[in-house]
Amino acid sequence: MEVTGPRPERHIDIYRRAVASLEACLPLGWSVTSDRARSPEAPKRILVTAPDGDSVSYAVITSRGVLSGDVARISADLTESDRGFVCAHYLSDPVRRQLDQHGISYADATGNLTLVAARPAIWVRNRGADADPWRGPGRPSGVLTGEPSERVVRALADHVGDISVPELIKLSGASTGATYRVVEVLAERELIRRIPRGPVTSVQWEPMLRGWSADRKPCATRSFAAPDGLDAVRAQLAERVDPGYAVTGVGATDYAATDVLEVYADDPDEFAAALGLRPVDRAADVVVAIPWTPVVFDRMERREGLRFVAPAHVYADLLAGPFRNADAADHLRSRMEADESWWRRPLGRGL
């Protein structure tokens, strides 16, 4: 399908292009109607009606950018009996496959389309562009990987308040070009709001952390036994002066007591030797991850003499990777939502 014209940006324009693709592919006698929306927002629902009058309703999810890491969240936001219809300016092949696996219908502005329902029985599919026709050379990939993404995401999650990009560069420690690229990705995925050529005014920290955790590459881990028990390990860690470790995982939350200590350390062998730990293949007392970047040690918390990864990073670790635990992640998210002042710092002017 040849795509012409500018990329649709407003939600209503993205929706109109998607529905136009759908209507062009529906069998004769089928129709699409929707509730009325106030521009520039898109309708909340569409109704697809068969020639005999039987119909099926879909919740409309409109977004400028959807990545594989976003699909699970979209699916979780739908009720068990509801159907979703995702509209975007472009949906990549991996994202389309993820949506198919979750039974979510979709259409993008290039003509990629799938609509499914059991009653009335319908299956409509169309092939559009294989690459984003509006993404020019040098544009960001849309994936939150690498140290700049970690630095920018953590800086935005850990702080609250309007922040300009130059201030964000200083706060995060990422390079100028990389910060602007990450900010563009976050804005395109609607994880932040930014005034054109102005500051970031709003951060959707939970979906941002969820998207980052899904995109980043898991760290390698080493497993160790503690011959003298975890209490002895914790006592030794509390006496350490150097910040060469940070506790994460379930043990960094108040969700439940745990019999495995999960930590980050730059040099697992040196860390283990200092604590008298012994390498094992299974039944570990201590699991040590080698961080990809030093961001894990930014803005650590200290409790009972131990150093803990910042709550935003702990939450991302519980969502995906070697320290994942869905129940603990839900518990921590509830705490973070209930009192953001507990873990998000206000931004001062003298950054």
Side-chain angles (χ1 to χ4, degrees):
M1 175 180 176
E2 183 179 356
V3 179
T4 59
R7 183 177 75 168
E9 295 292 346
R10 299 185 308 165
H11 280 192
I12 186 62
D13 296 326
I14 294 170
Y15 164 81
R16 286 169 177 164
R17 292 281 288 271
V19 169
S21 297
L22 172 59
E23 289 178 326
C25 295
L26 281 175
L28 187 64
W30 289 73
S31 63
V32 180
T33 55
S34 68
D35 59 322
R36 298 189 65 178
R38 189 170 185 176
S39 182
E41 297 305 315
K44 300 295 184 185
R45 305 198 70 84
I46 61 169
L47 197 68
V48 179
T49 304
D52 64 1
D54 201 3
S55 62
V56 57
S57 176
Y58 296 81
V60 176
I61 303 104
T62 308
S63 178
R64 295 183 183 89
V66 179
L67 297 184
S68 296
D70 302 320
V71 176
R73 173 181 55 82
I74 291 171
S75 178
D77 288 343
L78 294 168
T79 64
E80 187 173 339
S81 60
D82 205 1
R83 292 187 170 276
F85 181 66
V86 171
C87 305
H89 69 79
Y90 175 71
L91 297 167
S92 68
D93 180 65
V95 170
R96 298 196 301 269
R97 285 189 273 110
Q98 285 279 330
L99 291 167
D100 288 336
Q101 290 170 11
H102 283 79
I104 299 173
S105 298
Y106 56 83
D108 69 22
T110 77
N112 289 305
L113 163 70
T114 290
L115 187 85
V116 292
R119 184 172 181 178
I122 186 170
W123 186 85
V124 178
R125 198 172 185 89
N126 190 50
R127 181 76 173 269
D130 293 324
D132 188 342
W134 296 286
R135 187 176 296 282
R139 289 283 304 280
S141 67
V143 181
L144 297 171
T145 57
E147 183 169 347
S149 292
E150 294 207 1
R151 288 190 174 280
V152 172
V153 167
R154 276 289 310 281
L156 289 171
D158 291 349
H159 298 86
V160 61
D162 294 0
I163 183 170
S164 69
V165 177
E167 290 172 331
L168 181 58
I169 292 166
K170 185 176 180 180
L171 181 65
S172 68
S175 68
T176 298
T179 301
Y180 274 99
R181 287 193 293 272
V182 175
V183 166
E184 183 177 352
V185 170
L186 293 171
E188 186 173 89
R189 294 175 65 173
E190 299 178 337
L191 299 174
I192 63 172
R193 290 182 181 177
R194 182 190 175 204
I195 297 172
R197 301 183 179 275
V200 174
T201 59
S202 175
V203 176
Q204 304 298 315
W205 62 261
E206 196 284 329
M208 179 180 69
L209 292 174
R210 187 175 292 276
W212 170 50
S213 69
D215 288 352
R216 63 182 181 159
K217 186 178 179 181
C219 297
T221 61
R222 298 279 303 281
S223 298
F224 299 93
D228 297 325
L230 282 185
D231 287 343
V233 172
R234 293 188 179 98
Q236 288 178 276
L237 289 176
E239 295 173 358
R240 288 178 70 117
V241 176
D242 63 286
Y245 78 93
V247 179
T248 189
V250 177
T253 75
D254 62 353
Y255 174 68
T258 177
D259 55 2
V260 178
L261 187 66
E262 298 168 320
V263 304
Y264 284 105
D266 284 324
D267 189 331
D269 292 325
E270 180 182 327
F271 177 83
L275 298 173
L277 305 177
R278 299 171 183 172
V280 293
D281 293 327
R282 55 182 178 271
D285 297 313
V286 180
V287 176
V288 182
I290 307 168
W292 290 110
T293 75
V295 178
V296 296
F297 302 117
D298 286 354
R299 295 175 288 278
M300 291 186 295
E301 292 190 322
R302 191 175 182 102
R303 303 192 303 270
E304 300 177 353
L306 300 181
R307 293 181 176 87
F308 295 87
V309 173
H313 208 116
V314 175
Y315 180 57
D317 285 344
L318 292 170
L319 288 171
F323 302 132
R324 63 184 176 275
N325 185 304
D327 292 334
D330 287 342
H331 172 82
L332 180 57
R333 186 197 68 243
S334 296
R335 280 202 64 200
M336 294 168 74
E337 291 174 339
D339 183 12
E340 290 192 10
S341 65
W342 158 59
W343 62 279
R344 299 190 78 193
R345 308 176 184 190
L347 284 164
R349 288 296 86 193
L351 294 175

